[in-house]
């Protein structure tokens, strides 16, 4: 069958299914759930995948709301994964549009899967909880650690946004808790008998502020005190803080994390406290961009005749972090964006939440799914294209590692 016939068939499939997937996106939007509690959203996507003919395994990679859906042709060919996110933000709900994100991937995977019977290969959808972080958050790190990408050739997903754009570079992130344990005592009557855990934590903040002068420009450290004592006249026997440590690449961040832990050790030694230092969820790696992969996606975007003003032409770099970076460290990965608003909307805002269920937001499901599906079909039909993308990914990964210089 010709390429034109194939893409026409995919487009017809998506158009036929679109109302069903729009209803799915609205239903998930109406049931916002945070990391490790996305029971409704996960099950809704699983039911849809099973309806489309996928075999689904639940509660995978140590995540009770994670899933692994597969359709195998039994014929040699690439294994492609569509990543599905579905968690919401605490309080505000789906203000990052993950109600759309998951439906994009499920519809695209469903549109492509039958073509593996002709071209060969396997299509998967990984349901990855907690991209926004939180309890057992950033699940893609778990999927990588547990080997779910070892036999995968490439990963694809699309994020809703203000404009269409290519995969965004973002920072590696170590989300850490710092806890100090001391001895309580009356602050006025017997201060000499106390060991002040809060004093140790304050020294950590001061130590980090002193460290900032000697850090690369891409490093960003920010934190809060989550527990600082119970009464002003009682020396705190326990104090805790939560920090995000970020850097442009994993190699630099590993060094930063070690320096911060050394500050914690010093604070404990100087105050006589004991301490705990460690991740409170999965670490997040920086995104490795593979330009050839994005260009493949954008070739299909240009075919749609999207107005120029809706397309971001510059390569973007985010000062935030996403666990899609963990996947991009091991296989070629794209996460371009599609527009869900004609006016600017900031992520994690009430405006973004509204756009995620707007007419344009719901229309974006067909656009994102078509672009993802056509890109995946290219990889199934053109082995040489996939080989080129894999080679470039390795080159980009090596370049990233070289940038992580010691300091």
């Amino acid at each position: 069958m010709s390429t034109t016939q194939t893409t026409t068939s995919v487009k017809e499939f998506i158009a036929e299914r679109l109302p069903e997937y729009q209803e799915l996106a609205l239903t998930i939007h109406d049931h916002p759930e945070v990391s490790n509690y996305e029971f409704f959203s996960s099950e809704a996507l699983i039911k849809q995948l099973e309806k489309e003919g996928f075999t689904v395994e639940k509660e995978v990679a140590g995540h009770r709301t994670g899933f692994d859906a597969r359709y195998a042709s039994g014929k040699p060919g690439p294994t492609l994964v569509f990543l599905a996110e579905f968690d919401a933000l605490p309080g505000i709900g789906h203000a990052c549009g993950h109600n759309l994100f998951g439906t994009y991937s499920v519809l695209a995977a469903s549109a492509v899967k039958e073509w593996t019977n002709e071209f060969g290969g396997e299509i998967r959808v990984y349901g990855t909880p907690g991209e926004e972080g939180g309890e057992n958050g950033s699940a893609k790190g778990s999927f990588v650690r547990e080997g779910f990408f070892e036999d995968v050739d490439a990963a694809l997903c699309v994020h809703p946004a203000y404009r269409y754009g290519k995969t965004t570079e973002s920072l590696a992130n170590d989300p850490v808790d710092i806890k100090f344990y001391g001895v309580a005592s009356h602050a006025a009557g017997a201060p000499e008998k106390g060991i002040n855990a809060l004093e140790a934590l304050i020294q950590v903040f001061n130590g980090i502020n002193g460290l900032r002068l000697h850090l690369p420009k891409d490093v960003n450290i920010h934190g809060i005190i989550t527990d600082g004592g119970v009464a002003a006249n009682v020396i705190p026997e326990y104090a805790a803080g939560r920090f995000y440590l970020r850097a442009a690449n994993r190699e630099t961040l590993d060094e930063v994390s070690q320096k911060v832990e050394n500050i914690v050790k010093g604070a404990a030694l100087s105050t006589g406290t004991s301490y705990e230092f460690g991740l409170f969820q999965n670490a997040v790696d920086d995104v490795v961009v593979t330009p050839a992969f994005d260009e493949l996606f954008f070739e299909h975007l240009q075919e749609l005749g999207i107005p120029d003003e809706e397309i971001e032409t510059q390569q973007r770099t985010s000062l935030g972090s996403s666990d899609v970076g963990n996947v991009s460290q091991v296989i070629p990965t794209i996460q371009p964006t599609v527009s869900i608003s004609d006016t600017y909307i900031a992520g994690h805002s009430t405006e973004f939440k509204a756009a995620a269920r707007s007419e344009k937001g719901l229309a974006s499901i067909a656009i994102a799914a078509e672009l993802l599906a056509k890109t995946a079909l290219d990889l199934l039909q053109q082995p040489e294209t996939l080989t080129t993308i894999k080679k470039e990914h390795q080159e980009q990964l090596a370049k990233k590692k070289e940038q992580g210089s010691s300091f």
Side-chain angles (χ1 to χ4, degrees):
M1 184 173 285
S2 70
T3 300
T4 301
Q5 288 174 306
T6 305
T7 54
T8 299
S9 175
V10 164
K11 192 164 187 171
E12 289 174 350
F13 179 97
I14 291 170
E16 179 185 335
R17 293 288 206 281
L18 182 59
E20 188 175 351
Y21 280 83
Q22 289 177 327
E23 185 61 34
L24 178 61
L26 287 171
T27 302
I28 292 173
H29 193 281
D30 289 337
H31 295 81
E33 300 161 306
V34 297
S35 180
N36 206 37
Y37 293 89
E38 311 103 326
F39 299 113
F40 179 91
S41 304
S42 175
E43 189 60 30
L45 294 175
I46 288 170
K47 285 181 178 178
Q48 189 65 32
L49 284 160
E50 290 175 336
K51 181 179 177 180
E52 298 285 11
F54 285 84
T55 300
V56 185
E57 182 181 357
K58 303 178 183 181
E59 299 182 29
V60 299
H63 294 266
R64 61 191 187 184
T65 52
F67 61 81
D68 174 359
R70 304 189 180 196
Y71 184 91
S73 68
K75 299 169 66 174
T79 296
L80 307 178
V81 167
F82 294 87
L83 304 174
E85 297 174 7
F86 39 87
D87 65 317
L89 290 152
I92 195 171
H94 278 289
C96 207
H98 291 174
N99 63 307
L100 297 172
F101 192 124
T103 55
Y104 293 164
S105 289
V106 173
L107 180 53
S110 300
V112 169
K113 72 176 178 61
E114 294 293 344
W115 291 104
T116 61
N117 296 326
E118 180 172 338
F119 303 127
E122 180 175 338
I123 300 298
R124 300 179 188 174
V125 179
Y126 288 164
T128 55
E131 189 277 334
E132 300 293 352
E135 184 178 308
N136 203 19
S138 302
K140 295 183 191 67
S142 301
F143 277 72
V144 171
R145 186 174 58 251
E146 298 298 322
F148 280 78
F149 294 96
E150 289 179 357
D151 60 345
V152 175
D153 292 280
L156 307 89
C157 58
V158 164
H159 204 293
Y162 163 46
R163 287 179 173 172
Y164 294 87
K166 295 180 181 179
T167 303
T168 302
E169 292 184 341
S170 62
L171 305 182
N173 178 20
D174 278 350
V176 298
D177 277 338
I178 299 172
K179 301 175 182 179
F180 288 100
Y181 300 89
V183 176
S185 183
H186 196 290
E192 73 282 0
K193 296 185 180 300
I195 297 178
N196 196 323
L198 179 59
E199 175 59 33
L201 186 58
I202 290 172
Q203 287 192 23
V204 168
F205 276 88
N206 290 332
I208 288 173
N209 286 337
L211 177 65
R212 294 184 198 278
L213 179 63
H214 307 285
L215 295 175
K217 300 301 183 185
D218 59 274
V219 175
N220 189 354
I221 302 175
H222 39 101
I224 60 170
I225 294 175
T226 56
D227 195 321
V230 294
N233 63 344
V234 178
I235 290 175
E237 63 180 335
Y238 173 74
R242 175 161 286 186
F243 289 78
Y244 280 178
L245 317 177
R246 303 187 199 254
N249 59 68
R250 169 50 55 187
E251 286 68 31
T252 297
L253 185 55
D254 285 343
E255 294 188 45
V256 171
S257 293
Q258 185 57 62
K259 288 180 180 293
V260 171
E261 185 171 9
N262 286 340
I263 290 171
V264 174
K265 289 178 182 178
L269 183 64
S270 67
T271 58
T273 55
S274 58
Y275 78 91
E276 293 178 16
F277 175 90
L279 297 167
F280 60 84
Q281 62 182 59
N282 279 313
V284 174
D285 289 333
D286 50 299
V287 171
V288 178
V289 173
T290 305
F293 204 174
D294 273 293
E295 288 298 333
L296 191 64
F297 180 93
F298 255 64
E299 286 175 12
H300 295 297
L301 176 64
Q302 290 163 0
E303 295 166 3
L304 297 181
I306 302 295
D308 290 344
E309 60 269 20
E310 292 190 30
I311 301 174
E312 180 65 60
T313 57
Q314 299 297 318
Q315 175 64 53
R316 296 167 299 164
T317 299
S318 169
L319 296 179
S321 307
S322 170
D323 61 358
V324 75
N326 297 60
V327 182
S328 75
Q329 294 282 333
V330 293
I331 59 172
T333 305
I334 54 167
Q335 185 178 259
T337 58
V338 297
S339 174
I340 64 169
S341 175
D342 292 326
T343 57
Y344 174 75
I345 47 171
H348 298 193
S349 66
T350 55
E351 292 80 11
F352 203 110
K353 178 182 177 180
R357 64 177 299 126
S358 67
E359 182 178 348
K360 185 166 186 175
L362 294 174
S364 75
I365 297 173
I367 298 170
E370 181 180 342
L371 294 172
L372 283 170
K374 287 181 176 179
T375 305
L377 281 170
D378 288 342
L379 301 183
L380 292 174
Q381 294 178 272
Q382 304 168 18
E384 68 282 357
T385 299
L386 180 56
T387 298
T388 298
I389 288 171
K390 284 184 165 183
K391 182 175 182 293
E392 187 178 68
H393 172 257
Q394 288 301 310
E395 292 169 352
Q396 293 294 108
L397 186 59
K399 187 184 299 184
K400 271 272 192 179
K401 291 184 181 296
E402 289 173 6
Q403 292 171 352
S405 58
S406 298
F407 58 92

